[in-house]
Amino acid sequence: MDVISALQFLKLHEIPQAWVDAVWDVEFTESRPMGDAIEEELLASGKKTFRNLYQCLLTHAAEQQSSGRHEGSQNIWALLGENGMTVKSLVAMLSFFVLAGKTKAASVQQRVVGLHAASLYLLLLGIPGSITNKGFHEVLFDTCLNLTSHYWPQDCGKKRKKDNLKTSQAEVKRSKPHRREIQEMGVDEEEEEDELHFSGQDLMQIRNAVVLLVHSLLKLLQTFSLKDIPQSASNCTQIFSKLLYFEPVIEELNFSFGQDLTNLRSIPEMAFYGLQLLCSPKHGDQKESLRRVFHHLLYVILMMNKGNRGRPILLIPSQAILDIRDQAIHFVCHLVNELKELVLPFLQILLQHICIQMVEKNEFRTHGAQAVGTLISHMANTDYACFIKWLFKFSRHSKMVCRLFSVDVVMVLLGQPERRPEESQDQELICFLPHKFLIHNLLFVRCHDHSPTVQGHALSGLAQCLELPSLNATRAVHNLFSSSGIQTVLQEETAEGSTSSQHTQKTFRTLPFRTVEISSTDNLGCDAKDNLAVLLRRVQDSKTNVRKSALQALVGLLKHDVIPMSQENLSVLSERCRDPNVSVKKKALQCMGELLTAKPECSVVQRAWLQGVVPAVVDSENSVQEKALEAINQVLLSQVKPYADSCHMDGSQKLTWDLLGLLCNECQNLSQYFTQAFTILSKQNKFTLTFITNLISHTDAAHAAGAWLLLSKAVSSYSEIPYGKILDAWDSMFSSKDVSTTTCCHILCVIGGIATHLNEETKERIIDDLMSELKTFTLSLEVISTAIETLYRMGSSEDISKTQEFLNHHCGELVSVCEAYISGIILSESGAQNLNEDLMIKYLHTLGVASLHCPARVTKRMVLLVESVLTTHSDKLADCQEEIPASLPLSQFKASSLPTRVRAHGVITLGKLCLQHEVLVQKYLPVFARELEVSTEVAVRNNVVVIMCDLCVRYTNIVDHYIPNISTCLRDTEAVIREQTLIMLTNLLQEEFVKWKASLFFRFMVALVDPVPAIASLCEYCLLCLLLKKNPEMFSQYFIECIFHFNSYSKHKSYNKFPQSEREKAKFSLKGAHQREKRFRIYCFLLEHFTDAQRFNITNKINQNVLACFADEELPLDADGAEILSETFRILTLKEMKLQTMTSPPRGIAGEEPEEENMAKAVLQAAQKKVVSEVQKKTFIENTVPLIISLKRQLEQKRSPVLKDLMAYLQVTMQDYRNEVKEFFTEDELLAAEVEFALREAEKRFEMEQQKENYSLKGEPKTFTAQSSVQGCPVRSRPRFPFSFATPQPPHPAPLYARQTQTESRCVHIRSRQRVRDQSIIVERTGGVNTRAISTPKGFSINLTFDEGVSAIFSDQRTSLGEESSVLHVQSHELQLPGLRQWNVQSPLFKKKKH
């Protein structure tokens, strides 16, 4: 079939010329109607006819091309003219089918026909003479290109809702979601398709038609130049970028395309070929083509959907999206290999824009960093060094995600082989090649970032560096922390570089695909000791992720011997096992396990592991308990194997017995936790008969102490075990004197554990042995307690009466022996002189322990004897044989001449006697309380505190009256007693044996300002982590009363009315100006942990209960009242008193600009702030202002100095309402004028300070060295860096400070005024005007932004990294600094009198 015959179905002869002209007049933007009959007949044409026409044209074009321009050949354009067919008619008719298939309701047939018509049009354009014969129209060409996105159903493959299955013909448009994540690209944001549903066969037809269209486009691009139509070239690039997502690619693509299009099987493969064709010189400036292609591939690599306008939308990173991303990266690498030097500048730009447009999500950052690493591997050393130089500056960008992503890129680059400098390499760029530069100048500096997220990520990366195969990377980390004094580049946390950002803009503007230039500042060095100190502070950081990452980094340094394995460094790790955060505790446990695995033979590591893991078995979080138990089971239990002299223990077994040996000796304080762990494990059936048998085999080894320790915990789990070896060990224990005290206790525990399984004969033998040893009083105190406990187990039975009879007999015998010895010492005149102190203590200890098992055998004489250990009244005892009178008050006794140790043990024994007798408790509590007051012996007072708190558990109501006596010890002269009292009272408050009554809360507050920092810190922990959780309103409930109590003011009708002795008042008083600092430390501590609701309510209560009392003259304005009022105004001025909603900016951490996903939260915070501000303002006007006016008048009448504090309070408060002062104080115009005057004066002072700072900046800036310190700082401050000039930014609510840990923030004084408010621009001297990226009108100041708007393009002829660039500071004409002016200050009172 020839071409003319194939064209007959289009009925070009029947088409009215007017319709053709109308179609051309509207430039193919809309479909023009024809007659209904003609339209129906044309639309009935099938795809077969179009296919035939396409083949005919294709054959004719091939024949014309092969025959050349011979006279016998006739081109298609002449053929059309000879048959009366115009090109305009043919093009108009093809556009009719194209536009018909573009409608939303188009059927499958119409879509397929439209695609074929578009293919025909593109084929016609490829025939020579198409432009000469006016066949090309740019609008129709672009319309045909866009058909791939219009015709393919966008909801294909999506899950539809069941209730929408029958709404395919619905005409109502669905509302578009505000933000959505999509996988398919190419959705036209102007329109949305109705939900039409296609079968698989329908979709295959459309897909084949799309393939034909793309083939036609590729054929066209091979011959047809787009050089003169750059807009169409741009559209082609966009279409090919969208086609990359058309269908998944099954196999890896080969980008070495040939001329044969039949080898291209998938549409994405055709798209890549199209992009490659567009990069050829045929289609215009090759550099501009590369820029255009790379710009579109940028969003493919970033996995984003970039529409015609608006921000890019993140795609769901499915496997198909990841595959296309990988193919795009390989395609870029292919272009780099093919085009070499031509493409390298655009590769740099591509890498820069990948970095600058990266989002915060971890998955996207990971894939982005991998893409950067893959692309940069195709760079030569010089280009690589240039990019690293740019990355170095980029890592100091003010946007957090940029600094975060720079860490990801560094970690990927460190995984690549290190670059070696070349001979012809630029010397200034050589420093950027080694891995050392990446670690020191990019990674480690980010460990000091002001953002916790960046800090944590950089610390994690630092830990990973030690695991890298690169020896240079490991050496670089060693250099940072080695003690050889090597200096490293360390950026100060308060100076993050002079990059600029304008996230406050409401509209989004596309970032031009150009080179992104960033300025940077030089840094100062810091030694290895400071680096380690900073890392240790990071382990105690206030942010969870920072602590976790710092732990990992610290463990890495310890594992690889970068820092010493000292007790100080390891204690930091073990302390984190008790971190308030659960995830940090788990991380610390994991780190301890890793370190123990790496250093199993190090005793310091073993000790730290025990101190960190074992106490975690009693953690309040079950998951932490389970992790600790799992570690104990794995390290201590699973490695117990049968022992023989000839066997060799491996490293794991040796570690197990080393740890058990530490538990028996140096770490005996962990025995309670270890016992709890075995109690839990025994319930989980972790102790098998084989395990116990294996343990018994170790009882003869050198490490037998550890075996007895485990046996003492596990032996009671099974009844049928070989007892013979245990009994042999029992016999050898008595015959040998070399058995340690700890092992004796463990053997006794084992004997007690198997007591129920022994026969009567064996029991009697063991009981006789125990009694004989106990009566010798040669055992240590620990063994005595364990032996009596074992004696109890030997005599215990199901019949309680028989058990008690056994105890009364044997323990009573011990009690009698002790009584006889003690009476001989006490009643003998020379007993005290010939006293054996250690023996006396053993008798007292045995009496106390044995009496707990036989309370009936305790006589009054015995009690009085023990009391006599504390006091001497032997004449009373000599006359009393049977009936002893009640004890006299302690003040009537003479002081005892016994040693302090004996008296201290006597207190413990007397307390144990009281535990079983309530009458004795009532009798001796006054004695104990008096002893707390008059005793000068530390051990005695300490034990009295312990005994009274123990008695409180059993006799709560009786001891409750003596809680004030106990709490008085919080101000004891000895730190050990203050600490013991604090711990004991906290335990009682936790278990609610004691309530917050009377003065107890205020005495706890005084402990917050204890002179010993450790006690103050312990008190803070007890209050915040243990007690405040049980009573969240506790701080606000007692806050106002703290003001009166600590100032010893008792004239208020409600506050500070609880009973106190003068001695107690004097002890806990913080009255006076010399103790004001302590009082305000307490106030600030309380206010810091208020909620905003509590701050708001406490302000109102202060108005009602303090200010109102003075305003109504309920409280006198005498000297004490003036102090209270002055202190109240000072408290109201505290920054901790301000609502957090009002003071915290609606931004990210540390003043960072909010990301897109956080914008809604920022808007909500701003709205909340506005509402709270209105409520606060109303409350202030209605409640506070009348009181202030009244108080001011009273203070003026009395000429009180408190007036200064009142005005200072008003000045601070009215700063937020500086324009509404007259509205607030309408009743007192004079006060309003004074407040305005004070605000103006404060503002003038601030402006003068700013002017001085500005002038100093224009001169020679002061450079702070690493050794300089802030005045008044008790520790060395962090290094400061020179001031740098930067493009002025929109005003932020607060200066961008380096974030410091809680510990650092208390010792480092941060300057409060850092910003320079002068309006200026920065012009860098680069040698000429060629550095300007855009045309700037004269007389206008501009802000050149980094990531939005227009990127500043600077000359490449810049100074090196170590040099300072020349900077010109230009002052704005509109805001020139005024000269010095004369003061013209007039009192507002004088102004009023003139009126």
Side-chain angles (χ1 to χ4, degrees):
M1 181 183 295
D2 58 2
V3 176
I4 300 302
S5 301
L7 285 171
Q8 294 299 325
F9 79 97
L10 293 178
K11 303 184 182 301
L12 298 180
H13 297 288
E14 301 178 13
I15 298 175
Q17 185 61 35
W19 179 84
V20 175
D21 295 337
V23 171
W24 279 84
D25 289 341
V26 298
E27 295 188 343
F28 307 101
T29 56
E30 60 182 40
S31 180
R32 307 300 296 177
M34 290 190 295
D36 294 339
I38 299 178
E39 286 188 5
E40 291 178 3
E41 188 174 353
L42 288 174
L43 292 177
S45 303
K47 64 176 182 179
K48 185 177 181 181
T49 55
F50 278 92
R51 190 72 178 178
N52 292 334
L53 177 58
Y54 185 88
Q55 290 296 332
C56 292
L57 280 175
L58 188 62
T59 303
H60 186 85
E63 292 176 354
Q64 180 179 342
Q65 184 177 3
S66 61
S67 60
R69 297 188 177 183
H70 298 151
E71 295 180 359
S73 63
Q74 187 177 18
N75 61 37
I76 186 63
W77 313 112
L79 189 62
L80 290 175
E82 292 176 359
N83 289 273
M85 301 179 186
T86 64
V87 176
K88 291 183 64 176
S89 299
L90 178 58
V91 173
M93 182 54 65
L94 292 178
S95 71
F96 169 77
F97 290 101
V98 170
L99 296 176
K102 191 179 177 182
T103 59
K104 297 178 181 179
S107 63
V108 175
Q109 179 71 12
Q110 291 174 321
R111 294 173 188 242
V112 173
V113 169
L115 288 168
H116 279 82
S119 302
L120 278 171
Y121 180 68
L122 295 180
L123 185 59
L124 282 173
L125 293 181
I127 299 175
S130 59
I131 297 180
T132 305
N133 291 275
K134 300 182 179 180
F136 177 79
H137 194 282
E138 188 172 353
V139 174
L140 182 57
F141 178 71
D142 291 341
T143 302
C144 293
L145 295 181
N146 290 320
L147 291 186
T148 55
S149 59
H150 284 295
Y151 279 21
W152 185 257
Q154 298 301 321
D155 60 347
C156 178
K158 293 184 181 179
K159 185 177 180 181
R160 303 183 179 92
K161 297 181 179 179
K162 294 182 179 180
D163 55 352
N164 289 337
L165 289 178
K166 299 182 180 180
T167 60
S168 61
Q169 302 300 325
E171 297 181 357
V172 181
K173 291 184 179 180
R174 295 172 293 148
S175 60
K176 293 195 293 185
H178 179 65
R179 294 182 63 198
R180 59 179 180 177
E181 294 177 340
I182 61 173
Q183 291 188 15
E184 300 82 9
M185 297 186 66
V187 178
D188 189 356
E189 297 181 2
E190 297 292 333
E191 301 178 1
E192 286 195 354
E193 294 183 288
D194 291 342
E195 290 198 11
L196 298 177
H197 308 296
F198 302 92
S199 65
Q201 186 177 2
D202 295 338
L203 294 175
M204 184 56 67
Q205 293 182 27
I206 299 176
R207 189 260 179 193
N208 292 335
V210 171
V211 171
L212 181 62
L213 178 61
V214 178
H215 264 284
S216 303
L217 179 57
L218 294 178
K219 286 181 176 293
L220 176 66
L221 293 177
Q222 288 177 344
T223 57
F224 187 83
S225 174
L226 300 179
K227 187 174 184 179
D228 298 329
I229 42 176
Q231 183 60 42
S232 295
S234 178
N235 289 343
C236 285
T237 307
Q238 184 177 3
I239 292 301
F240 284 133
S241 300
K242 291 181 179 180
L243 288 174
L244 296 177
Y245 296 92
F246 190 88
E247 59 188 10
V249 179
I250 300 176
E251 56 186 13
E252 187 174 352
L253 301 181
N254 182 10
F255 300 110
S256 299
F257 305 107
Q259 295 293 325
D260 189 4
L261 298 179
T262 58
N263 295 329
L264 305 179
R265 299 182 179 181
S266 64
I267 293 179
E269 189 174 8
M270 300 177 192
F272 280 121
Y273 179 54
L275 292 174
Q276 184 171 338
L277 287 175
L278 290 173
C279 294
S280 63
K282 178 185 297 184
H283 299 290
D285 183 6
Q286 200 169 8
K287 292 185 178 180
E288 189 62 31
S289 299
L290 286 169
R291 182 191 300 274
R292 193 162 48 232
V293 170
F294 275 38
H295 194 187
H296 283 87
L297 290 178
L298 166 67
Y299 298 103
V300 179
I301 296 174
L302 291 174
M303 296 185 292
M304 295 180 179
N305 177 21
K306 180 66 175 70
N308 295 328
R309 60 182 181 275
R311 287 185 179 275
I313 300 174
L314 297 181
L315 304 177
I316 298 174
S318 63
Q319 187 58 47
I321 297 295
L322 293 174
D323 291 341
I324 289 298
R325 166 195 161 276
D326 295 338
Q327 298 294 347
I329 295 173
H330 294 324
F331 178 71
V332 173
C333 295
H334 170 74
L335 290 180
V336 173
N337 295 332
E338 290 292 326
L339 301 178
K340 305 295 183 183
E341 298 296 331
L342 183 64
V343 79
L344 288 178
F346 304 102
L347 180 59
Q348 288 273 7
I349 296 174
L350 177 64
L351 291 172
Q352 292 176 6
H353 281 256
I354 290 175
C355 296
I356 200 62
Q357 299 196 46
M358 185 52 60
V359 296
E360 190 176 348
K361 293 186 177 181
N362 180 62
E363 187 173 7
F364 286 82
R365 286 191 291 103
T366 302
H367 291 301
Q370 292 172 355
V372 171
T374 303
L375 294 174
I376 204 174
S377 62
H378 288 73
M379 284 183 168
N381 281 0
T382 301
D383 298 308
Y384 174 87
C386 290
F387 177 76
I388 298 301
K389 180 179 180 181
W390 181 91
L391 185 67
F392 172 72
K393 301 173 184 179
F394 171 77
S395 66
R396 282 150 177 77
H397 192 269
S398 61
K399 192 177 179 183
M400 183 271 290
V401 66
C402 296
R403 304 193 302 274
L404 190 65
F405 185 64
S406 68
V407 176
D408 292 306
V409 174
V410 167
M411 295 310 301
V412 171
L413 296 180
L414 288 174
Q416 297 180 356
E418 189 173 29
R419 302 282 182 128
R420 300 295 180 185
E422 301 172 354
E423 294 182 0
S424 59
Q425 187 88 27
D426 186 354
Q427 295 300 315
E428 292 185 358
L429 297 177
I430 290 179
C431 65
F432 297 100
L433 295 178
H435 283 171
K436 180 180 178 181
F437 180 84
L438 296 176
I439 294 175
H440 285 200
N441 298 67
L442 279 84
L443 182 62
F444 185 68
V445 168
R446 290 306 102 211
C447 295
H448 307 273
D449 196 275
H450 65 265
S451 169
T453 306
V454 180
Q455 274 187 23
H457 198 47
L459 288 168
S460 299
L462 188 66
Q464 297 173 22
C465 287
L466 293 168
E467 308 294 338
L468 294 174
S470 172
L471 183 62
N472 289 338
T474 306
R475 186 182 295 114
V477 178
H478 276 264
N479 292 340
L480 286 172
F481 296 95
S482 65
S483 58
S484 57
I486 298 176
Q487 296 294 313
T488 64
V489 177
L490 174 63
Q491 184 184 22
E492 185 206 25
E493 292 180 285
T494 57
E496 282 298 329
S498 58
T499 57
S500 59
S501 175
Q502 284 188 345
H503 268 273
T504 54
Q505 297 182 11
K506 300 298 182 182
T507 59
F508 175 80
R509 292 175 292 172
T510 304
L511 178 64
F513 197 69
R514 300 175 180 175
T515 301
V516 183
E517 187 73 24
I518 311 173
S519 60
S520 66
T521 56
D522 293 335
N523 299 319
L524 298 178
C526 189
D527 58 20
K529 186 181 295 185
D530 289 339
N531 294 342
L532 179 58
V534 170
L535 179 61
L536 294 177
R537 286 199 296 270
R538 291 289 177 264
V539 177
Q540 302 174 0
D541 195 88
S542 60
K543 296 297 180 180
T544 300
N545 65 313
V546 176
R547 297 201 299 275
K548 291 169 63 177
S549 301
L551 281 173
Q552 190 64 48
L554 183 60
V555 168
L557 297 177
L558 291 169
K559 284 168 55 178
H560 294 83
D561 299 322
V562 179
I563 59 177
M565 201 73 66
S566 64
Q567 182 63 37
E568 178 186 1
N569 295 336
L570 291 172
S571 63
V572 174
L573 280 177
S574 57
E575 287 173 3
R576 287 307 101 197
C577 294
R578 295 176 290 278
D579 193 273
N581 184 271
V582 175
S583 63
V584 177
K585 284 188 281 193
K586 291 182 179 179
K587 184 65 176 180
L589 291 173
Q590 176 188 340
C591 291
M592 293 301 304
E594 293 177 4
L595 189 58
L596 185 66
T597 304
K599 304 288 183 181
E601 298 180 355
C602 181
S603 60
V604 184
V605 174
Q606 295 171 1
R607 192 179 302 109
W609 185 86
L610 290 173
Q611 292 172 349
V613 175
V614 175
V617 299
V618 297
D619 194 89
S620 57
E621 181 64 31
N622 291 333
S623 59
V624 178
Q625 284 187 20
E626 293 172 359
K627 196 169 184 67
L629 290 171
E630 180 184 356
I632 291 175
N633 182 40
Q634 182 178 358
V635 176
L636 294 181
L637 305 184
S638 63
Q639 301 301 326
V640 176
K641 311 294 182 184
Y643 177 77
D645 294 334
S646 59
C647 70
H648 172 73
M649 291 191 298
D650 58 18
S652 299
Q653 296 180 41
K654 188 176 183 304
L655 173 63
T656 296
W657 297 111
D658 289 344
L659 292 172
L660 291 173
L662 288 173
L663 284 171
C664 294
N665 299 300
E666 301 177 29
C667 300
Q668 294 185 38
N669 58 321
L670 302 175
S671 60
Q672 292 183 346
Y673 305 112
F674 200 63
T675 302
Q676 181 65 23
F678 271 75
T679 302
I680 300 174
L681 291 172
S682 63
K683 295 178 181 179
Q684 300 175 358
N685 298 323
K686 295 291 184 181
F687 307 136
T688 62
L689 183 59
T690 304
F691 173 76
I692 296 177
T693 305
N694 293 341
L695 278 178
I696 294 176
S697 68
H698 288 266
T699 54
D700 292 332
H703 52 267
W708 284 113
L709 170 62
L710 290 182
L711 274 175
S712 66
K713 312 300 180 185
V715 72
S716 59
S717 301
Y718 282 88
S719 58
E720 298 181 0
I721 57 176
Y723 301 123
K725 203 163 188 179
I726 296 177
L727 295 176
D728 292 341
W730 167 259
D731 295 334
S732 64
M733 184 181 73
F734 283 98
S735 61
S736 174
K737 303 298 182 182
D738 297 334
V739 182
S740 65
T741 298
T742 305
T743 303
C744 286
C745 292
H746 293 154
I747 294 176
L748 286 169
C749 289
V750 173
I751 295 296
I754 65 175
T756 56
H757 309 298
L758 300 177
N759 55 41
E760 294 298 326
E761 181 182 355
T762 305
K763 283 186 179 180
E764 290 179 2
R765 180 170 65 86
I766 294 176
I767 291 172
D768 292 341
D769 292 342
L770 286 173
M771 290 299 296
S772 62
E773 284 295 322
L774 286 171
K775 288 179 183 179
T776 60
F777 293 95
T778 57
L779 304 176
S780 64
L781 300 184
E782 296 84 354
V783 177
I784 290 173
S785 300
T786 309
I788 293 177
E789 178 64 24
T790 303
L791 186 66
Y792 162 74
R793 290 190 176 186
M794 286 292 172
S796 62
S797 63
E798 296 180 357
D799 190 347
I800 300 178
S801 59
K802 289 184 179 181
T803 302
Q804 191 60 56
E805 181 181 353
F806 173 86
L807 294 174
N808 287 338
H809 173 68
H810 292 86
C811 293
E813 184 179 351
L814 292 174
V815 168
S816 300
V817 173
C818 295
E819 180 183 0
Y821 178 83
I822 295 173
S823 63
I825 297 297
I826 298 298
L827 299 179
S828 173
E829 293 183 358
S830 60
Q833 287 81 9
N834 301 323
L835 176 67
N836 185 333
E837 185 175 330
D838 292 334
L839 187 60
M840 181 65 173
I841 290 174
K842 291 179 180 179
Y843 273 100
L844 284 171
H845 182 75
T846 304
L847 173 61
V849 176
S851 65
L852 293 175
H853 295 284
C854 56
R857 297 295 300 271
V858 177
T859 63
K860 294 182 179 180
R861 185 174 185 273
M862 187 183 303
V863 174
L864 198 55
L865 280 171
V866 177
E867 179 188 327
S868 301
V869 174
L870 303 179
T871 59
T872 300
H873 48 292
S874 57
D875 53 342
K876 299 287 183 180
L877 289 170
D879 299 334
C880 300
Q881 298 297 330
E882 298 297 334
E883 295 295 332
I884 303 298
S887 176
L888 297 174
L890 188 63
S891 59
Q892 298 187 24
F893 297 147
K894 295 184 296 181
S896 174
S897 59
L898 294 175
T900 299
R901 288 181 61 213
V902 176
R903 286 168 48 80
H905 281 84
V907 170
I908 298 295
T909 302
L910 185 59
K912 291 177 179 178
L913 296 176
C914 292
L915 277 174
Q916 298 287 358
H917 301 85
E918 184 176 346
V919 176
L920 295 180
V921 174
Q922 295 175 342
K923 178 180 179 181
Y924 284 103
L925 273 178
V927 176
F928 291 143
R930 182 63 177 166
E931 197 73 13
L932 288 178
E933 295 183 13
V934 301
S935 177
T936 59
E937 297 162 322
V938 177
V940 173
R941 296 203 308 275
N942 182 78
N943 289 352
V944 168
V945 171
V946 174
I947 286 299
M948 293 184 74
C949 291
D950 284 346
L951 291 174
C952 185
V953 175
R954 187 161 188 174
Y955 305 104
T956 305
N957 293 332
I958 301 176
V959 183
D960 187 64
H961 301 290
Y962 295 91
I963 293 299
N965 302 82
I966 300 174
S967 62
T968 305
C969 294
L970 290 171
R971 294 289 278 179
D972 195 275
T973 56
E974 296 294 333
V976 63
I977 297 180
R978 298 199 300 272
E979 183 179 5
Q980 183 76 277
T981 305
L982 182 62
I983 295 172
M984 300 297 291
L985 286 177
T986 300
N987 290 334
L988 293 176
L989 287 165
Q990 266 192 293
E991 301 297 331
E992 297 186 355
F993 291 111
V994 172
K995 304 292 184 182
W996 291 110
K997 295 192 300 186
S999 60
L1000 182 58
F1001 177 83
F1002 310 103
R1003 295 182 179 183
F1004 256 81
M1005 292 300 104
V1006 173
L1008 283 172
V1009 292
D1010 193 277
V1012 179
I1015 297 178
S1017 177
L1018 175 63
C1019 180
E1020 185 175 333
Y1021 169 79
C1022 293
L1023 286 169
L1024 295 180
C1025 300
L1026 303 177
L1027 301 176
L1028 186 61
K1029 294 179 180 179
K1030 298 182 70 68
N1031 185 8
E1033 301 294 328
M1034 177 175 64
F1035 287 175
S1036 61
Q1037 180 180 351
Y1038 294 100
F1039 183 80
I1040 296 180
E1041 194 159 7
C1042 285
I1043 303 174
F1044 295 98
H1045 178 77
F1046 294 136
N1047 286 280
S1048 301
Y1049 189 86
S1050 57
K1051 297 179 183 180
H1052 198 281
K1053 62 182 179 181
S1054 303
Y1055 296 117
N1056 202 24
K1057 292 298 183 182
F1058 41 80
Q1060 287 189 101
S1061 65
E1062 293 300 324
R1063 174 176 170 271
E1064 292 173 342
K1065 289 182 180 179
K1067 268 197 168 188
F1068 290 92
S1069 175
L1070 297 178
K1071 184 179 181 180
H1074 64 287
Q1075 301 201 83
R1076 180 180 294 129
E1077 188 268 340
K1078 292 183 178 180
R1079 296 197 302 272
F1080 274 83
R1081 277 166 56 191
I1082 296 174
Y1083 299 149
C1084 292
F1085 170 80
L1086 295 175
L1087 289 171
E1088 282 175 358
H1089 300 94
F1090 274 25
T1091 63
D1092 270 356
Q1094 290 173 340
R1095 289 188 181 91
F1096 184 81
N1097 292 332
I1098 206 68
T1099 304
N1100 292 334
K1101 288 182 179 179
I1102 288 176
N1103 291 336
Q1104 298 170 5
N1105 300 329
V1106 182
L1107 300 184
C1109 291
F1110 285 103
D1112 298 338
E1113 299 184 355
E1114 294 180 9
L1115 295 177
L1117 269 173
D1118 51 10
D1120 293 338
E1123 285 295 327
I1124 292 293
L1125 190 58
S1126 173
E1127 187 138 317
T1128 303
F1129 284 128
R1130 290 172 183 263
I1131 291 172
L1132 291 172
T1133 310
L1134 291 174
K1135 63 180 180 63
E1136 290 83 2
M1137 201 72 178
K1138 291 184 176 294
L1139 302 184
Q1140 294 298 314
T1141 306
M1142 304 297 296
T1143 56
S1144 60
R1147 294 174 178 264
I1149 299 173
E1152 290 188 357
E1153 301 294 340
E1155 298 291 337
E1156 176 69 18
E1157 53 268 22
N1158 296 330
M1159 189 63 70
K1161 184 177 179 180
V1163 172
L1164 180 61
Q1165 289 179 352
Q1168 182 182 8
K1169 181 177 180 179
K1170 183 176 180 181
V1171 173
V1172 172
S1173 177
E1174 291 297 325
V1175 174
Q1176 191 178 31
K1177 173 182 173 182
K1178 181 180 179 182
T1179 305
F1180 182 76
I1181 294 174
E1182 294 179 353
N1183 299 338
T1184 308
V1185 170
L1187 294 174
I1188 294 298
I1189 294 175
S1190 177
L1191 284 173
K1192 179 179 179 295
R1193 292 170 180 169
Q1194 292 185 34
L1195 295 172
E1196 286 176 340
Q1197 292 175 1
K1198 297 180 178 291
R1199 299 181 180 274
S1200 173
V1202 183
L1203 185 61
K1204 180 178 65 175
D1205 297 312
L1206 184 148
M1207 294 304 298
Y1209 160 66
L1210 283 180
Q1211 180 179 337
V1212 172
T1213 305
M1214 295 308 297
Q1215 285 178 354
D1216 297 331
Y1217 310 103
R1218 55 189 311 109
N1219 298 325
E1220 306 172 68
V1221 175
K1222 294 182 179 180
E1223 178 185 348
F1224 278 41
F1225 300 99
T1226 54
E1227 299 182 6
D1228 193 331
E1229 296 180 359
L1230 178 59
L1231 179 58
E1234 291 178 352
V1235 172
E1236 288 182 334
F1237 178 77
L1239 291 174
R1240 285 196 301 271
E1241 290 301 306
E1243 186 174 354
K1244 289 177 182 177
R1245 287 193 298 271
F1246 179 77
E1247 288 179 353
M1248 290 185 64
E1249 292 176 4
Q1250 291 299 316
Q1251 290 176 11
K1252 292 178 181 179
E1253 191 170 1
N1254 292 346
Y1255 285 127
S1256 65
L1257 288 177
K1258 291 179 181 178
E1260 300 230 350
K1262 182 179 179 181
T1263 303
F1264 294 88
T1265 61
Q1267 288 75 22
S1268 63
S1269 60
V1270 181
Q1271 183 179 2
C1273 178
V1275 297
R1276 195 177 81 171
S1277 65
R1278 297 182 182 174
R1280 292 184 176 272
F1281 297 90
F1283 287 103
S1284 60
F1285 294 95
T1287 304
Q1289 296 297 299
H1292 293 288
L1296 187 63
Y1297 291 128
R1299 198 184 60 82
Q1300 296 178 332
T1301 61
Q1302 292 178 351
T1303 304
E1304 294 169 304
S1305 63
R1306 292 174 183 169
C1307 63
V1308 180
H1309 175 65
I1310 304 177
R1311 296 177 57 192
S1312 61
R1313 296 186 178 109
Q1314 293 271 354
R1315 291 179 296 160
V1316 180
R1317 294 187 176 180
D1318 60 325
Q1319 299 294 324
S1320 61
I1321 63 174
I1322 303 301
V1323 179
E1324 299 203 15
R1325 294 175 181 169
T1326 51
V1329 296
N1330 294 329
T1331 59
R1332 294 177 61 187
I1334 59 174
S1335 177
T1336 309
K1338 295 183 178 180
F1340 288 89
S1341 298
I1342 61 170
N1343 286 336
L1344 298 179
T1345 63
F1346 182 84
D1347 57 336
E1348 292 181 355
V1350 180
S1351 299
I1353 304 176
F1354 297 104
S1355 171
D1356 292 334
Q1357 301 174 358
R1358 300 180 60 86
T1359 56
S1360 64
L1361 180 64
E1363 300 175 353
E1364 294 183 3
S1365 60
S1366 178
V1367 178
L1368 175 64
H1369 188 171
V1370 183
Q1371 185 71 33
S1372 174
H1373 298 292
E1374 300 175 358
L1375 294 171
Q1376 291 288 344
L1377 290 175
L1380 296 178
R1381 58 186 180 187
Q1382 297 182 353
W1383 293 100
N1384 185 15
V1385 180
Q1386 292 184 354
S1387 170
L1389 182 61
F1390 177 74
K1391 292 182 179 179
K1392 187 174 181 182
K1393 289 181 178 180
K1394 289 179 64 177
H1395 292 297

